Amino acid sequence: MLGLSIRWSLADAPEGVEDELAAFVAGTSHARFTGMSGLRFKTWRVRHGEWFEGTYVFATDEARAAFEEEFRAGAADVPGSRMVGSPPVLIEPFDVVAIAEGWDGFLAAPHF
């Protein structure tokens, strides 16, 4: 499987941006990616005061390449960049070696 990480630095981001990003994910972004063709799953991660990241896993090389190309073309104007006040510091494709589902199962939710 084929992954893509997109990370923004929060070092110089406005106060409260983590809450704004979480609200955007819950209210808009989660629905956009739920059921997206070519995408196996997406997670959103944050280290408060350090970084915010979207991690994607795609079904095919073509799906990842198409998404990455489109994202890179408009990276400075996506909602995450506008909220943080700067474009991503990392756009990195990677390969997924394996995925294990734990006893408690996988839970897809717009907010935890």
Side-chain angles (χ1 to χ4, degrees), residues 17-40:
V17 73
E18 290 96 341
D19 292 335
E20 185 179 356
L21 289 162
F24 175 76
V25 169
T28 302
S29 193
H30 186 270
R32 175 182 176 220
F33 291 100
T34 298
M36 180 180 175
S37 178
L39 182 69
R40 293 208 183 266

Side-chain angles (χ1 to χ4, degrees), residues 8-93:
W8 289 263
S9 173
L10 299 180
D12 297 318
E15 184 75 25
V17 73
E18 290 96 341
D19 292 335
E20 185 179 356
L21 289 162
F24 175 76
V25 169
T28 302
S29 193
H30 186 270
R32 175 182 176 220
F33 291 100
T34 298
M36 180 180 175
S37 178
L39 182 69
R40 293 208 183 266
F41 64 87
K42 177 180 180 181
T43 60
W44 293 262
R45 305 182 326 138
V46 66
R47 285 190 52 97
H48 295 279
E50 293 182 36
W51 50 261
F52 176 77
E53 180 178 271
T55 303
Y56 307 75
V57 175
F58 293 92
T60 66
D61 282 323
E62 295 79 15
R64 178 176 66 181
F67 182 85
E68 182 180 356
E69 181 180 352
E70 182 180 335
F71 187 88
R72 283 183 184 274
D77 295 321
V78 298
S81 295
R82 289 194 307 267
M83 285 181 246
V84 169
S86 61
V89 295
L90 175 74
I91 301 174
E92 179 179 63

